[in-house]
Structures are given as C-alpha cells and as structure tokens.
Amino acid sequence: MTGIRLTAPAPGWAIDADVVVVGSGVAGLTTALRCAAAGLATVVVTKARLDDGSTRWAQGGIAAALGEGDTPEQHLGDTLVAGAGLCDETAVRALVTEGPDAVRRLIDTGAHFDTTETGAIALTREGGHHRRRIAHAGGDATGAEISRALVDAVRSAALHTIENALVLDLLTDAEGRTEGVTLHVMGEGQHDGVGAVHAPAVVLATGGMGQVFSATTNPPVSTGDGVALALRAGAEVSDLEFVQFHPTVLFLGADSEGQQPLVSEAVRGEGAHLVDASGTRFMLGQHELAELAPRDIVAKAITRQMQLQGTEHMYLDARHFGPAMWEQRFPTILAACRTHGIDPVTQPIPVAPAAHYASGGVRTDLRGRTTVPGLYACGEVACTGVHGANRLASNSLLEGLVFAERIAADITGAAGLMDGPRTGSGAAPRRTPVVAPAGARTVPLLTAESRTPIQRIMTRGAGVIRSAGSLATAADALEALRRDAAATEEGGPKDAVPGVEAWEATNLLLVSRVLVAAAREREETRGCHWREDRPDRDDTAWRRHLVVRVTADGQPVVRATDSAAFPPVRPGDPEDPTGTAPPTSLRTDPADAPEEP
C-alpha cells in the first residue's frame, strides 16, 4: 500500500456486497452478469448512465475467428505481429481460443450482429487482419448494440447499480487486502455524496484515459480514474507508454479539443483509400497491407505525410462506395461527417491521428488479478499482455468479453475470497475496512482549470511523435503543476475544492506523469510508441515491459522486466506458481488447442 488517497470527505453512507464492479462497458457488465448468475451480491458502479460506457462508441466491431477457413491460430498470428514483440502469447492464446464462444454467449445474451443473406454473421476486415473476422452490428454501431444488450440483461437481472458515481479510492483491511471502494455520487438518487461499497472483490473496468490528450476519440469521462486509483492503492501498471493514436479521426481543425468523431477502420476494410490533397495514395509500397496495415504504421505514415507536405491532415477517399453503401454500412459515420459539413459520398474525408486506446494499464495475470489482493482489472484499464506495443483492431471488445469471464470464474471459485459462508442476504461477513490507513497522505488536488493545461502539455510532449527533449519538457511542466497544487494545500493562492472536476484533473495528472516517465525510459521506437530521436526498434535492449508503481510521496518508479514475459503478479502463489495460469473452469482441452507455431 502507498497510503496515498484523494482529498475527499469521509463516506456518509455504505452498502455491502460480495463484488463491486466499477464500469459499465462490455468488460464491467459481463463480469457483473457472470458474478450475479453465480449467486454473488454484485454492485455495478458507473461514472455516467449505465449505457454511457466507452463500449457504446466502438464502431468497427469485435474480432473473432468465426468465418469459414479462419482459425484461432491465424488470429493469434495477426495479433502477435501487431503487438511488435511484446504480446504475452499465453494471454493471446486465451483470447483467440476462447473468443468465438464468448461472442456466441454474447449473442445468447441478446446482442444482434449483422448477418448475410444466408443468416451467417457478416464479417469484415480491418487493419492488421489477414482474414475477414470482424463481426459488426447496425453497420457501424457495434458498440452501441453490445451495450444495449448487456444493459438490458443487467436491468432484467435487477442488479444493484449506482449511476453517476466517480470512484475515488480503494478500501483495504489492515493486511492490505481489498475491502471495497469509496465513491462520490453526483446528483440526487438512492445515494448522494461520498459513500462506500464494502466488498472483498473489486473489479476495475473503468475504460481508458484518452482525455489525457487534447484530441481523442474517448468520451469526456475517460480520465484514467481506474489507473489512478490502482496506482494510489499500490498496484503496478505496465506498458503505459503505448498509447494508440487512431489514424483516421475526422479532422475538425488544428485547435479542436475534446472528443473527436472516429472514422472506423472498417471503412478502409471495405476499400477506402488514404490520399493526400492531390489524390495520391501514399500507403502503397509502405506495407504489404497498404491502408490495412496495423494502426501504428498507418498513423505514422499519415503523420510523416503531414510533416513532408506541411499540412494538418490527410484524406480518406471512399466516394466510390456510393450513397447506398454509405447509408447501409456506415450510417453513423455518414451522419457525423455531414454534421460537420463533409459529405463522404461526394468528398474525401479530412482525417488526422488522435488518441484512441491505451494498450497498457493496470498489470494483471490471466485471471485478471492485480498485484493488490482482491483487486481485479479488465478491459482497457487493464494490461493483460494481449495487446503488446500496439492493439490489433477490434481485439478490445473481445478482450473485455474473454477476460471478464475469466475474472468472474476466479471470483466465484476463489477459495478464501470470503471469510466464511455468505449469509442468506448474499452479503459476506466483513473484516473491518480501513478508510484511511495509518500514515495516509492525501494527494494535493488540482483545480478544475488544470485539465486543459495537462492535455496540451501531453499533446505537445507525448503525442504521436516524441523525443527525449519533448518528454523532458512535458515532465517538467507536469511537475510544476504538481508543485503548484502542493503549494495550494499549504495556503497558496489557488483553492482546489474537493469535487468531481478537481478529482478528475488530479487523476489525469498522476496518469500523465506515469505515462511520461515510462515513455522517457523506453529509448526506442516500437509499436505505437514513436521516438523521433530513437527511430529504430531495439529488441536486444527493449524487448521487455516497463512496470511502474508510485511511492508513498507519489513519485513514479519505473523498472524494466528481464524479458518480454510478464513477471507473476503473485510470486510464490502455491495455487498458481507462474501467476498466469487460466482458471481451471476455463482451461482449454489440450486436444482442441492450436499447435504451437
């Protein structure tokens, strides 16, 4: 435990549960449904409304080997290539072998995917995939359909949900085991203000941290709250320097900030071309898959062309689709473009890279367990080892599904999770949670106005292109913000009042400082981490992960692993010596497993 906590009022109310899931995307709701089905008292906490998670913004689809001739082994191969040497192959095997059945269970839950005339699931291609294996819904509204199905299932199951609630900090017992979370509920409802959910298992499924940057595809709620909570609780994070910038985001102007409209990779999967202002395709000859190269390669190619030609964007040309295809296959993108004065039916779409997905996050094993006992992480907030240095397109929804089921299997079957049998009410006997550990230090809060400076510092210094100089400048500027906040606590001129905006800004600062610390350490270019002063990939020195924790005074400490393999999260665990064995109930039959490459 670090003993670091956000400055916040003491909890004014509390409820008990067996499991608390923080987040309402595909990862969180899948975990919650599986735990509740096993009879555990499960509470879902979500920052906005139940259906406002990041999942609903996913356009392209969910990748799985569902098509004729496709195999998990081929999916594995594409994932490993995209991950640039840093994927954990055991984690990827779990993803691709368990993925198809996980998608089928999602369909059984009520999700409706687009189908062909024969009734088979319609599949498309995206960057880095050699096969059509992307299942989609509503043309380009896959995430919205998955979210609808899971939210409906949660409501039908009458799960206890707490909406409009920002999670603050982890509760622990005297031995450092998880005992729940503190949270702040915004607005009127069953609960209001700061409270607590007491539970021996906490699942972080809080999504991404795209709001660290000025321009992102992430919704405004994606402020890295889960990663920040885990760091303050003493958990390790890994690979945070690998932020994927989606290559084709609708360009709204150089000064545009906040959430930007995504132009799905599936548009290129259906045959759209990347061109410059003269109409020249510039991806030809740069990669065997041209526009369908992995995202890091496409984002770098677009950025290079922008630098060479002195422009602020490139174009995505899909005029040859015709109006019928645009209206049927990509209605959401078509509407977004037209809202901003661009008609893709008759005009090429101006695009530029923007922050999209965190390939790194809270370090877990294949059960979703973190380095803090009782704390799990799943989805974008987690680093399972699946994505390596660059996520393969449409693997994110699948990762949320597969690892949510693994976490639920571990929680529901974990010996010693409870101190005794659950009571008839479903609540477990409790240890006494420690709301504020002895010697706990509160984090100096930033004012709400600090959010924009953080985003601009990160965009300039740790964006698509980085260097030792830019990262050093960013680190200094972030440290200055931290010092100013500390001075405020000591009676300085600013007044940061505890509240949602101050807590979000404080979380953004912590996540930014850790990201920059890792990016400074990785002196190479790999995957979506592009150092212009270190343009080459260096497998000898850097085919390894960077693991970060924070000290009791909030300073990031970075260490490199000995190899590309993750160290166990629970060294010496007699049940799982490696820390990465899958739960017994989910083990693949050896006879069904794909052969080793």
Side-chain angles (χ1 to χ4, degrees), residues 95-111:
L95 179 84
V96 300
T97 56
E98 296 169 21
D101 282 344
V103 172
R104 294 183 184 102
R105 284 188 288 273
L106 179 62
I107 293 171
D108 291 341
T109 302

Side-chain angles (χ1 to χ4, degrees), residues 241 300 461-472 516-537 542:
E241 70 271 29
K300 291 171 186 175
V464 179
I465 304 174
R466 305 164 180 178
S467 67
S470 75
L471 290 166
V516 168
R520 295 181 75 180
E521 189 78 11
R522 184 170 291 280
E523 296 181 335
E524 64 159 357
T525 289
R526 181 185 297 271
C528 50
H529 174 73
W530 185 9
R531 286 278 298 259
E532 61 179 347
D533 57 335
R534 301 280 185 169
D536 299 320
R537 172 172 154 176
W542 288 109

Side-chain angles (χ1 to χ4, degrees), residues 125-207:
R125 249 181 102 189
E126 291 184 356
H129 293 272
H130 284 78
R131 289 273 189 178
R132 283 184 169 264
R133 66 168 65 98
I134 315 301
H136 49 83
D140 58 357
T142 310
E145 170 58 17
I146 291 173
S147 179
R148 180 207 61 77
L150 291 172
V151 169
D152 285 353
V154 165
R155 288 175 173 157
S156 295
L159 265 67
H160 189 155
T161 60
I162 303 176
E163 297 179 296
N164 302 309
L166 172 65
V167 67
L168 299 176
D169 280 302
L170 193 72
L171 292 172
T172 59
D173 65 13
E175 286 74 47
R177 280 194 54 87
T178 294
E179 274 297 322
V181 292
T182 55
L183 62 157
H184 173 79
V185 182
M186 300 164 267
E188 296 180 1
Q190 181 180 359
H191 308 289
D192 197 9
V194 174
V197 180
H198 297 155
V202 170
V203 182
L204 296 178
T206 52

Side-chain angles (χ1 to χ4, degrees), residues 209-215 240-243 245 257 355 450-467 470-479 481 505 507-520:
M209 54 185 191
Q211 290 293 325
V212 160
F213 297 94
S214 296
L240 219 61
E241 70 271 29
F242 296 118
V243 177
F245 288 78
E257 297 181 334
S450 301
R451 180 170 178 149
T452 297
I454 292 170
Q455 293 170 329
R456 291 175 179 172
I457 289 166
M458 292 297 290
T459 297
R460 287 193 300 266
V464 179
I465 304 174
R466 305 164 180 178
S467 67
S470 75
L471 290 166
T473 299
D476 290 345
L478 295 170
E479 177 61 20
L481 288 175
N507 285 339
L508 284 172
L509 179 63
L510 176 57
V511 172
S512 297
R513 293 174 63 230
V514 171
L515 192 162
V516 168
R520 295 181 75 180

Side-chain angles (χ1 to χ4, degrees), residues 321-368:
F321 285 4
M325 182 172 176
W326 268 110
E327 290 166 4
Q328 295 169 15
R329 180 67 179 85
F330 301 111
T332 306
I333 298 170
L334 178 64
C337 288
R338 285 177 170 170
T339 296
H340 292 284
I342 303 295
D343 188 350
V345 177
T346 60
Q347 298 171 274
I349 306 168
V351 294
H356 181 59
Y357 190 88
S359 292
V362 184
R363 189 167 78 83
T364 74
D365 62 13
L366 294 197
R367 304 178 185 206

